[in-house]
Amino acid sequence: MATTAKKTTADKAKSTASKSTASRNTAKTASKSADGKVKAKSTAADGLRELFVDSLKDIYWAEKALTKALPKMAKNATSENLITAINDHLSVTEEQVKRLEQVFSLIGEKAAAKKCDAMEGLIKEGESIMEETEAGSVRDAGIIAASQKIEHYEIATYGTLAAFATTLGEDDAVLLLEKTLAEEKEADTLLTEAAYNTINFDANEED
């Protein structure tokens, strides 16, 4: 009986100590995050060039992912104009992938892709829109909406990359990045025209 009592007391003491330690750890974690500061990873960029290269890897992954997503969008579209616009942009995107490889070469880096969470999310949203709309002009309108969100992300990204390259004195890279930026802006304009010329109005009539 005495031995059992001692074990019970010891177990309680251990449990209390464990709870106390957990409480202190929780308090430490809370104090670290209380000011809203994010702790950098061990692989974090510590200079503009590293950030530039990291961002290139990000958009390289994004463009390659788009070469797989665009054919699915084209297959689910019904407007001939929209199908043509998507397929044309697929060809442009494939060239943009090669252009990014040129940029990597110009700055002395190996072309490598780093998963782009933003593009992954945008592509998934596009898939959800197609699942949630009936085939026809309504789905076409949804595909345009999803595509323009992607274009706007790319416009912002290439604009930033061109600015980074300018600051870093990578003039040849700037020219390539600005060419892609112009293509993305043109694609966005074409999508807007497709929406306002027919597709949005056709979708409205289906109501």
Side-chain angles (χ1 to χ4, degrees):
M1 291 291 289
T3 301
T4 301
K6 286 180 180 179
K7 284 184 178 181
T8 301
T9 301
D11 290 341
K12 286 182 178 179
K14 286 181 180 179
S15 177
T16 301
S18 177
K19 289 179 180 179
S20 178
T21 300
S23 179
R24 286 198 300 271
N25 289 338
T26 300
K28 287 180 180 179
T29 301
S31 65
K32 286 181 180 179
S33 60
D35 60 1
K37 291 183 178 179
V38 177
K39 184 177 179 181
K41 295 180 179 180
S42 59
T43 57
D46 59 1
L48 184 62
R49 178 167 290 275
E50 286 184 42
L51 178 59
F52 176 55
V53 173
D54 190 65
S55 299
L56 281 174
K57 292 177 179 179
D58 196 71
I59 196 64
Y60 185 52
W61 185 98
E63 296 290 18
K64 293 179 82 170
L66 270 181
T67 61
K68 298 175 182 178
L70 288 172
K72 186 173 182 179
M73 288 184 177
K75 189 175 181 179
N76 281 276
T78 54
S79 164
E80 288 301 323
N81 288 338
L82 179 57
I83 293 171
T84 299
I86 293 172
N87 285 330
D88 286 349
H89 194 59
L90 172 59
S91 298
V92 171
T93 301
E94 290 169 344
E95 288 302 313
Q96 290 172 347
V97 170
K98 294 176 183 178
R99 198 175 295 142
L100 281 170
E101 291 169 352
Q102 286 181 270
V103 173
F104 277 111
S105 179
L106 283 170
I107 64 173
E109 295 284 342
K110 181 180 178 181
K114 176 185 175 183
K115 184 178 178 182
C116 176
D117 294 331
M119 184 58 75
E120 182 184 46
L122 288 168
I123 289 173
K124 285 183 178 179
E125 182 177 354
E127 291 173 349
S128 295
I129 288 174
M130 288 188 285
E131 291 172 355
E132 295 166 2
T133 51
E134 292 291 344
S137 56
V138 174
R139 181 175 292 176
D140 286 351
I143 289 173
I144 288 177
S147 298
Q148 288 197 286
K149 288 182 181 182
I150 289 171
E151 291 304 328
H152 292 178
Y153 172 74
E154 290 183 302
I155 289 168
T157 300
Y158 282 108
T160 299
L161 286 171
F164 284 171
T166 298
T167 303
L168 293 167
E170 297 288 356
D171 296 337
D172 291 336
V174 172
L175 294 175
L176 294 177
L177 292 166
E178 287 185 340
K179 184 174 182 179
T180 298
L181 176 60
E183 290 172 347
E184 301 297 3
K185 288 180 177 179
E186 181 181 5
D188 182 52
T189 299
L190 291 173
L191 287 168
T192 298
E193 289 174 354
Y196 282 101
N197 284 345
T198 55
I199 293 173
N200 283 1
F201 296 102
D202 290 344
N204 184 50
E205 288 177 5
E206 288 193 14
D207 290 340

